[in-house]
Amino acid sequence: MTIGDRASAPKRNRVTPMGDIVAIRLRGAWAGNRGVLHEGTEVVRFHRGALWIICALQYKDWRLRQWAPGRFTVLFFHDEAVALAAGHRPCALCRRDAYNAYRRAWVAGNGGDVPKASEIDRRLHGERIVRGSHRRRLHPSTWPALPAGAFVLVDGQPSLVLDDALVPWTTKGYAGARARPGDGTVQVITPPATVAALRAGYRPQIDATAGQQPETVGPPRWGGTGSA
């Protein structure tokens, strides 16, 4: 599978940590699938079902044509942490090792038996959007409980938790880091089941620029706890 990721003008095929599909030029490290969302070259649906996956840009010698009629809409993510925050999970076909590692961490973090892909999809679907709508669900957490790789919403902006830093994400990439608060509560974007998998040891790919951002002065502000 080989997927072209460049075009003369940006189309709506990039996904933000909030799960929105936008038209930006930010390069994608991963592709994704939510079903057939397009008509022509325009995205007209938010999703088609509960299966939201993160795919490799290349797999064997397969080739996928963007905007093919009746075929799934090819989406792109800046990095895997963004994709997980949006509510996707690793593909069981083209990313089998990552999928198995994610499932092992899922069990370690959430308990229970090793889940089937459909079971993961159903739970994530309930955690990422409000039922019957496209409205994003946010989940409250304390700062100390959050693992590296999770995304939170601070002052209306998605930000990546990275060790002791908090790194804002923008449509142009990661911006200046802030000190991560040591206490209090925050609204979490990444679905709770995936947060538990991150806490249990799943290590997502994170764009190298996230760890290269100069730290700005002072901790961020935050307000409220967030709710479903």
Side-chain angles (χ1 to χ4, degrees), residues 53-188:
I53 55 177
I54 311 165
C55 298
L57 294 177
Q58 293 185 329
Y59 180 66
K60 297 184 177 180
D61 60 350
W62 297 7
R63 298 191 67 86
L64 293 179
R65 182 166 62 90
Q66 292 198 62
W67 316 115
R71 301 298 299 273
F72 75 83
T73 305
V74 181
L75 304 173
F76 295 98
F77 310 98
H78 182 206
D79 61 20
E80 191 178 14
V82 168
L84 293 175
H88 291 242
R89 52 92 176 161
C91 175
L93 177 62
C94 65
R95 300 191 61 212
R96 190 71 184 184
D97 289 346
Y99 169 72
N100 286 332
Y102 178 80
R103 287 203 302 170
R104 290 193 297 270
W106 176 290
V107 171
N110 295 291
D113 297 328
V114 178
K116 298 178 181 178
S118 59
E119 294 170 335
I120 293 175
D121 295 338
R122 283 196 299 271
R123 177 159 176 182
L124 290 179
H125 201 58
E127 292 181 349
R128 62 192 168 218
I129 59 176
V130 176
R131 185 175 181 179
S133 77
H134 297 160
R135 186 160 59 90
R136 186 62 197 237
R137 289 191 66 182
L138 299 175
H139 304 268
S141 174
T142 62
W143 282 103
L146 289 174
F151 265 88
V152 296
L153 191 66
V154 175
D155 295 335
Q157 183 174 34
S159 297
L160 174 71
V161 175
L162 192 63
D163 299 323
D164 294 330
L166 191 64
V167 190
W169 184 91
T170 76
T171 55
K172 294 184 178 179
Y174 289 105
R178 307 293 295 270
R180 172 181 173 174
D183 57 16
T185 58
V186 67
Q187 298 178 81
V188 183

Side-chain angles (χ1 to χ4, degrees), residues 7-26:
S8 57
K11 296 289 187 180
R12 278 189 63 210
N13 59 12
R14 266 50 171 185
V15 181
T16 74
M18 293 292 288
D20 296 323
I21 304 172
V22 297
I24 57 175
R25 293 188 180 278
L26 189 63

Side-chain angles (χ1 to χ4, degrees), residues 45-56:
R45 305 175 189 87
F46 185 68
H47 69 88
R48 271 284 184 88
L51 188 150
W52 295 23
I53 55 177
I54 311 165
C55 298

